[in-house]
Amino acid sequence: MAAGVATWLPFARAAAVGWLPLAKKTMPKPPVDNSSRSDEILYVNVSGVRFQTWKNTLDRYPDTLLGSSEKEFFFNEETQEYFFDRDPEMFRHILNFYRTGKLHYPRYECIQAFDEELAFYGIVPEIIGDCCMEEYRDRKKENQERLAEDSEANEGTDAPLPPDSTSRERLWRAFENPHTSTMALVFYYVTGFFIAVSVIANVVETVPCRPPKGSVKDLPCGEKYQLAFFCMDTACVLIFTFEYLMRLFAAPSRCKFMRSVMSVIDVVAIMPYYIGLVMPENEDVSGAFVTLRVFRVFRIFKFSRHSQGLRILGYTLKSCASELGFLLFSLTMAIIIFATVMFYAEKGTKGSTFTSIPASFWYTIVTMTTLGYGDMVPNTIAGKIFGSICSLSGVLVIALPVPVIVSNFSRIYHQNQRADKMRAQQKVRLARIRMAKKGTTNAFLQYKEDRGLGLLRESDSSGFLRKRRKHSDRDSDSTALCVKNRSAFEHQHHHLLHCLEKTTNHEFTDEGTYSELCMTDSVGFRTSRSTSLSSQQGAQNNSTGCCPRRARRRAAIRLANSTVSVSRGSVQELDTLHLKTTSIPAQTRSSLNAQGVNLKLNCGEQDFSAAIISIPTPPANTPDESLPPSPVPIPGILRNTRATTFTHETVKISSL
Amino acid sequence: MGAVVGTLTMQTKQRRPSRDKTEDELEMTTVCHRPEGLDQLEAQTNFTKQELQILYRGFKNECPSGVVNEETFKHIYAQFFPHGGRFYFLCNFLLNDLFVNRLIAVVADASTYAHYLFNAFDTTNNGSIKFKDFVMGLSTLLRGTLREKLEWTFHLYDINRDGYINREEMTEIVRAIYDMMGKYTYPAIKGDVPQQHVDAFFQKMDKNKDGVVTLEEFVVACQEDETMMRSMQLFENVM
């Protein structure tokens, strides 16, 4: 029952007195109402804006936050009011819901923000009043579609392939996204070229060439240079066949691929050639064969893989199927009506071209589309009148569905533009995020420097740190500021990371330090490497810089006792591991961990076995945080098994 | 071409409602009643100021224009006695001995009874209930003396306001009440149960057997009815 009706209940109950004389039995006892009679005003403070309302108003909907005892959690004893740290603008609508029983959706608000507020206050969106329900639903659907599109665009296609994809997957990717590798791009252009060549050849084949000597009649070029055209056709078809077979092989789901439109077009484009080869040179059949050659023109549709505009057009037509259907249906109706009318109007005339109703169809179509060839013309007055009505109505009928199709096309086109723009902006966005994260990394390292902590300091065997300090002194002013402005949160955060370092006996470091370590080590030391707190890109860059990248992870697997190249290889391994495991969400809130420390040796993905290299060190800085339980005892084991002549062991973890 | 004809016909239709619309708009804006002052109402009824305030707030919330017309009244009353559709509720009404505490399905029609109730509240007989009428009626029902309540009930039953309740009026009222029960009752209403009920009523009330019940007869008969007196007291605390 609506809330407002509740206010009338006492009245209805009072009116029950009218039944008493008729009742033969005593009335049942009424329920005891323990609640206080008097209504009180409640104060609700939403981010400083004070709202006041009757308690009864809020009690109307007991299954919401404000109507239930849940609001007591927000009660502020000192000020004797309910305080909510939420948006006061939105709260206005929420409170109006209690007052009027109808929830309205403000058009200028973001749909997600509104939904969140509703969720917070425990109100189900379904009760939005009819006046605003449509708007709400439309915007919600639009938002969901947009998010789905964005996530699709993100996930997909431009991300680098996981390293262990099969050749089949790589091939498929190359086909779908030609710009991912050079080979794919080359192939893309080659097929495009051959499609063009094939289409042009088909066209030129029919152009009349100069007849060969001795003949008078003009021959189409196709017959004159039959062999040349045949060769060209063969080459094209071979390429198309090859392409189709490769796609078929690479497709993740062959059945789905075979049913897709593009594959059907491919088949239709190459079938006539094969059929022509197979069929004998028979007079009867060759007529049909000639018809088949018509299908060669479908090769032009293969261009839709190359042109996005064509795809958009096709998609638009598909999505406007109902409008097109309506157009076709109404046209058909009109054609039949007018053809009949014209036929009977012109029936009497001698020599009339309107020989039958189907013959009049041609006239009607030509007139309604305002072509007006003039091959069929009405002669009677009635015929002329109906003819003019026909042409006028033709314009109208055709003009009606066109705006719908146009608006659909515009919407789809803009969606596409938006997707492209987003992809372009994605790179800028990622770069900005990376910079922010680097900032926090540097903050932590600065913190350590300032506190005189860190292994790098304690055992600086290569004078390395001195060099580093020189760099950092230059921007000491800025760092001094950083020290002062560090908030309590940052202090606690850094302390936490520090604890982790102590636990694992390894240190965090940054790109620069890591790369420099890398350089110094590669000079002569057999040292272990470790990836550092760098961004994904950074690691790649570093590894290309100091540790040349090997293409395949498998090739880089080495066993423990080997040379620097091993360490390099293992490092790359670690790097590639780190690349692979970026998809795993960071375990801690620390942004430091989010990207760089991707030695997330989550054993779920691969089998690890620890290979231990006993190498004297400058201390390695392996941030191996989210270590799964198994490798964790390894440092302990190491400590037990070997004499700690050096301060820290290095743990190398490689996969076998 | 069909579209052309269609648009032509649409135009002719549009012109007609516009004339009615302005008249309707005028009507709507003039109807807005305000009750008398709080003090006066307090003097005239048995409610305290606070109770009147609460009552008015609820009333105004439901009917911002300040009046309830019959349709709205029927609609509101029907929400308590669902009109059409199956609806289960525990039925404690006692219109017949066998109806005690049974779970029944109700397909009910409350509009007839609501009509009579509306007329009982609408003392000025102008087709609408203002807040004053509403609150005066409630005051009688909840805070009035026994005699006042019985008089109110008599006026409810006396449809044509002639001072007598005859059989036809009573039959209508009883039928209206049974209609509120709906079609699906347990046990089913067989035969002419309302008529029997009316006969029983008249037997009790009509002392001089002249076929009508006057106010005095009604009051006296009710006061003699023990069960009814007991039930009256139960309705004291509705507000």
Side-chain angles (χ1 to χ4, degrees):
Chain A
M1 276 201 286
V5 178
T7 54
W8 286 85
L9 187 60
F11 154 76
R13 293 181 70 203
V17 169
W19 298 335
L20 292 180
L22 293 168
K24 296 191 183 132
K25 293 206 167 169
T26 334
M27 291 286 150
K29 277 199 156 56
V32 182
D33 192 2
N34 284 331
S35 67
S36 66
R37 286 269 147 240
S38 63
D39 207 356
E40 47 168 334
I41 292 186
L42 294 182
Y43 298 94
V44 180
N45 186 341
V46 183
S47 299
V49 181
R50 284 186 98 218
F51 294 88
Q52 296 169 9
T53 182
W54 293 109
K55 186 166 185 302
N56 278 351
T57 313
L58 293 182
D59 285 343
R60 283 193 199 148
Y61 297 99
D63 54 350
T64 58
L65 184 150
L66 290 169
S68 65
S69 58
E70 195 183 344
K71 63 177 182 281
E72 300 304 326
F73 285 101
F74 297 93
F75 189 68
N76 187 347
E77 295 293 343
E78 296 155 34
T79 51
Q80 288 290 304
E81 60 187 15
Y82 295 91
F83 181 75
F84 294 97
D85 198 7
R86 314 281 302 189
D87 188 356
E89 298 287 332
M90 298 276 210
F91 188 76
R92 195 170 62 82
H93 298 284
I94 307 278
L95 197 53
N96 275 341
F97 163 63
Y98 284 91
R99 293 181 183 137
T100 62
K102 289 202 210 86
L103 181 63
H104 295 281
Y105 167 61
R107 285 183 164 82
Y108 51 85
E109 294 286 354
C110 170
I111 185 87
Q112 265 190 312
F114 187 69
D115 270 344
E116 278 169 16
E117 292 294 311
L118 286 185
F120 178 81
Y121 290 108
I123 296 174
V124 205
E126 273 69 37
I127 49 163
I128 290 184
D130 289 335
C131 42
C132 299
M133 189 45 146
E134 207 183 304
E135 171 86 16
Y136 174 80
R137 274 218 199 101
D138 287 345
R139 285 197 51 178
K140 189 146 187 198
K141 212 174 9 157
E142 196 188 313
N143 200 38
Q144 278 173 345
E145 282 176 6
R146 192 176 297 167
L147 286 177
E149 274 175 26
D150 289 351
S151 65
E152 259 181 48
N154 280 347
E155 274 168 19
T157 48
D158 288 350
L161 265 183
D164 66 341
S165 54
T166 62
S167 57
R168 189 174 152 184
E169 285 173 15
R170 260 197 298 270
L171 196 60
W172 180 247
R173 247 185 90 83
F175 275 128
E176 294 295 301
N177 292 58
H179 46 270
T180 48
S181 78
T182 334
M183 267 303 291
L185 209 56
V186 164
F187 188 72
Y188 176 77
Y189 283 124
V190 161
T191 39
F193 172 71
F194 272 99
I195 296 173
V197 160
S198 159
V199 170
I200 292 175
N202 284 346
V203 168
V204 169
E205 238 178 25
T206 57
V207 173
C209 282
R210 253 175 303 146
K213 279 190 230 148
S215 176
V216 182
K217 208 171 48 158
D218 263 348
L219 270 182
C221 284
E223 290 183 25
K224 189 164 169 199
Y225 301 102
Q226 199 167 18
L227 192 60
F229 278 104
F230 181 74
C231 290
M232 216 181 310
D233 205 21
T234 312
C236 293
V237 170
L238 277 176
I239 301 237
F240 296 153
T241 317
F242 173 71
E243 182 204 351
Y244 180 71
L245 290 174
M246 292 302 290
R247 275 182 205 264
L248 192 62
F249 165 69
S253 155
R254 299 221 169 99
C255 293
K256 198 171 103 165
F257 172 72
M258 282 176 67
R259 280 194 300 232
S260 71
V261 178
M262 288 311 302
S263 124
V264 167
I265 291 176
D266 288 340
V267 169
V268 168
I270 59 181
M271 274 329 255
Y273 177 81
Y274 288 111
I275 295 178
L277 280 184
V278 164
M279 267 207 306
E281 285 294 334
N282 204 341
E283 276 301 316
D284 306 323
V285 187
S286 64
F289 174 60
V290 166
T291 322
L292 267 181
R293 284 162 83 87
V294 168
F295 283 98
R296 292 188 306 171
V297 80
F298 280 94
R299 285 177 197 165
I300 205 169
F301 284 114
K302 288 168 68 75
F303 265 128
S304 60
R305 275 211 186 92
H306 299 252
S307 152
Q308 201 185 34
L310 211 59
R311 275 203 297 270
I312 293 177
L313 192 61
Y315 187 65
T316 309
L317 289 176
K318 197 168 64 165
S319 68
C320 301
S322 64
E323 281 80 32
L324 287 175
F326 163 69
L327 174 64
L328 224 60
F329 177 69
S330 56
L331 267 180
T332 312
M333 257 179 35
I335 286 171
I336 293 177
I337 292 173
F338 279 111
T340 314
V341 168
M342 290 306 293
F343 172 70
Y344 283 111
E346 290 285 307
K347 195 159 178 215
T349 328
K350 222 193 323 191
S352 142
T353 44
F354 294 83
T355 51
S356 65
I357 294 185
S360 311
F361 282 169
W362 174 243
Y363 168 77
T364 318
I365 292 173
V366 166
T367 313
M368 282 185 91
T369 53
T370 69
L371 275 176
Y373 286 135
D375 53 349
M376 287 167 80
V377 173
N379 287 317
T380 59
I381 294 178
K384 285 183 182 163
I385 291 174
F386 287 119
S388 37
I389 298 175
C390 174
S391 62
L392 285 173
S393 61
V395 171
L396 278 170
V397 170
I398 293 179
L400 282 175
V402 167
V404 180
I405 298 175
V406 165
S407 75
N408 258 346
F409 180 78
S410 157
R411 180 175 58 86
I412 294 170
Y413 181 72
H414 282 299
Q415 267 178 17
N416 247 295
Q417 295 292 80
R418 215 168 46 76
D420 290 341
K421 253 189 270 175
M422 270 213 52
R423 244 176 270 137
Q425 286 168 357
Q426 193 79 320
K427 299 196 182 124
V428 176
R429 255 200 281 161
L430 278 176
R432 227 179 281 147
I433 293 173
R434 228 180 303 131
M435 278 191 49
K437 289 188 174 170
K438 235 165 120 180
T440 46
T441 312
N442 288 338
F444 180 60
L445 295 170
Q446 191 60 45
Y447 155 84
K448 284 207 305 195
E449 278 249 349
D450 298 333
R451 305 229 352 221
L453 304 165
L455 311 167
L456 286 175
R457 247 174 201 272
E458 289 166 11
S459 51
D460 186 4
S461 56
S462 56
F464 163 76
L465 198 59
R466 268 178 268 132
K467 277 185 260 163
R468 243 341 249 128
R469 281 251 267 170
K470 258 199 234 155
H471 293 299
S472 68
D473 279 344
R474 264 181 241 140
D475 44 12
S476 59
D477 294 323
S478 51
T479 52
L481 280 171
C482 282
V483 174
K484 284 179 201 144
N485 296 340
R486 214 164 279 139
S487 64
F489 168 76
E490 280 189 30
H491 279 293
Q492 291 165 5
H493 182 216
H494 294 155
H495 176 255
L496 178 67
L497 295 174
H498 199 69
C499 292
L500 181 60
E501 284 184 338
K502 289 288 183 211
T503 311
T504 58
N505 252 334
H506 292 87
E507 274 201 352
F508 291 110
T509 182
D510 67 347
E511 264 184 82
T513 318
Y514 170 60
S515 56
E516 293 183 32
L517 271 177
C518 220
M519 301 270 234
T520 54
D521 290 343
S522 65
V523 170
F525 288 92
R526 286 164 154 226
T527 58
S528 60
R529 306 274 185 282
S530 51
T531 56
S532 64
L533 265 193
S534 53
S535 66
Q536 180 180 345
Q537 308 295 80
Q540 281 179 354
N541 293 337
N542 280 338
S543 47
T544 44
C546 70
C547 314
R549 211 170 180 205
R550 307 280 164 84
R552 313 246 160 183
R553 185 181 57 87
R554 295 195 195 99
I557 295 173
R558 300 279 187 268
L559 292 178
N561 337 323
S562 41
T563 60
V564 172
S565 60
V566 169
S567 42
R568 276 203 212 122
S570 313
V571 168
Q572 283 146 45
E573 212 170 281
L574 296 170
D575 279 347
T576 50
L577 282 176
H578 133 124
L579 281 179
K580 180 181 167 80
T581 56
T582 35
S583 56
I584 302 165
Q587 309 266 347
T588 67
R589 251 190 78 192
S590 166
S591 53
L592 288 168
N593 303 332
Q595 280 181 335
V597 183
N598 279 318
L599 254 207
K600 279 183 195 125
L601 310 166
N602 289 325
C603 290
E605 304 239 4
Q606 309 163 47
D607 288 327
F608 287 96
S609 61
I612 296 154
I613 306 175
S614 58
I615 300 170
T617 65
N621 304 306
T622 312
D624 30 4
E625 293 157 49
S626 41
L627 276 179
S630 47
V632 163
I634 291 170
I637 296 171
L638 282 181
R639 284 192 208 103
N640 290 340
T641 53
R642 48 188 88 254
T644 53
T645 48
F646 35 88
T647 45
H648 300 281
E649 295 88 5
T650 62
V651 174
K652 197 77 95 53
I653 304 195
S654 62
S655 75
L656 294 171
Chain B
M1 193 183 74
V4 177
V5 177
T7 46
L8 282 175
T9 49
M10 260 169 30
Q11 273 218 352
T12 49
K13 272 194 204 141
Q14 264 176 7
R15 254 183 259 128
R16 255 177 263 131
S18 62
R19 257 181 282 127
D20 301 337
K21 241 201 252 175
T22 45
E23 287 170 2
D24 285 334
E25 277 181 39
L26 276 176
E27 253 186 46
M28 276 185 355
T29 47
T30 50
V31 174
C32 183
H33 293 281
R34 291 209 171 81
E36 300 168 1
L38 195 53
D39 297 324
Q40 285 148 307
L41 279 178
E42 194 191 358
Q44 288 168 356
T45 64
N46 302 329
F47 288 120
T48 64
K49 268 214 179 110
Q50 260 193 323
E51 288 171 333
L52 283 173
Q53 280 179 343
I54 296 175
L55 277 173
Y56 187 68
R57 282 204 298 268
F59 184 82
K60 180 88 177 171
N61 212 17
E62 283 310 300
C63 317
S65 59
V67 287
V68 188
N69 59 10
E70 191 165 339
E71 280 312 306
T72 319
F73 187 85
K74 279 187 181 170
H75 174 73
I76 291 171
Y77 202 72
Q79 305 232 17
F80 298 109
F81 304 97
H83 171 45
R86 294 177 67 82
F87 177 77
Y88 288 91
F89 69 99
L90 194 62
C91 177
N92 286 333
F93 304 144
L94 310 169
L95 297 178
N96 193 311
D97 299 344
L98 301 172
F99 278 60
V100 183
N101 285 342
R102 296 271 153 82
L103 208 62
I104 58 178
V106 177
V107 175
D109 182 5
S111 58
T112 332
Y113 187 71
H115 169 75
Y116 297 130
L117 203 55
F118 184 83
N119 285 337
F121 269 92
D122 184 14
T123 47
T124 50
N125 275 329
N126 58 357
S128 64
I129 298 180
K130 294 191 286 294
F131 181 65
K132 180 172 173 205
D133 303 327
F134 175 71
V135 94
M136 302 267 281
L138 270 187
S139 164
T140 314
L141 284 173
L142 298 176
R143 305 285 162 88
T145 64
L146 181 62
R147 169 120 192 152
E148 285 173 351
K149 290 181 189 174
L150 290 175
E151 278 180 13
W152 189 89
T153 313
F154 185 84
H155 284 301
L156 171 67
Y157 294 158
D158 184 12
I159 299 173
N160 55 6
R161 303 297 153 94
D162 61 353
Y164 300 104
I165 305 177
N166 52 18
R167 271 188 181 260
E168 288 76 27
E169 288 172 340
M170 208 54 227
T171 315
E172 282 200 26
I173 295 275
V174 172
R175 270 198 213 282
I177 292 179
Y178 272 92
D179 278 346
M180 279 200 295
M181 295 292 291
K183 199 169 76 166
Y184 301 107
T185 59
Y186 178 77
I189 299 178
K190 284 192 207 105
D192 204 3
V193 171
Q195 196 59 45
Q196 292 166 11
H197 208 120
V198 169
D199 293 337
F201 176 81
F202 262 83
Q203 209 165 15
K204 196 166 65 171
M205 299 283 167
D206 190 9
K207 290 293 188 305
N208 59 358
K209 307 289 176 217
D210 57 354
V212 293
V213 179
T214 62
L215 179 59
E216 287 311 316
E217 286 178 333
F218 184 75
V219 170
V220 167
C222 287
Q223 279 170 334
E224 289 171 1
D225 189 348
E226 281 298 322
T227 43
M228 198 183 143
M229 289 300 108
R230 246 179 292 145
S231 306
M232 278 279 186
Q233 285 167 16
L234 292 174
F235 277 88
E236 301 282 283
N237 310 325
V238 166
M239 257 282 306

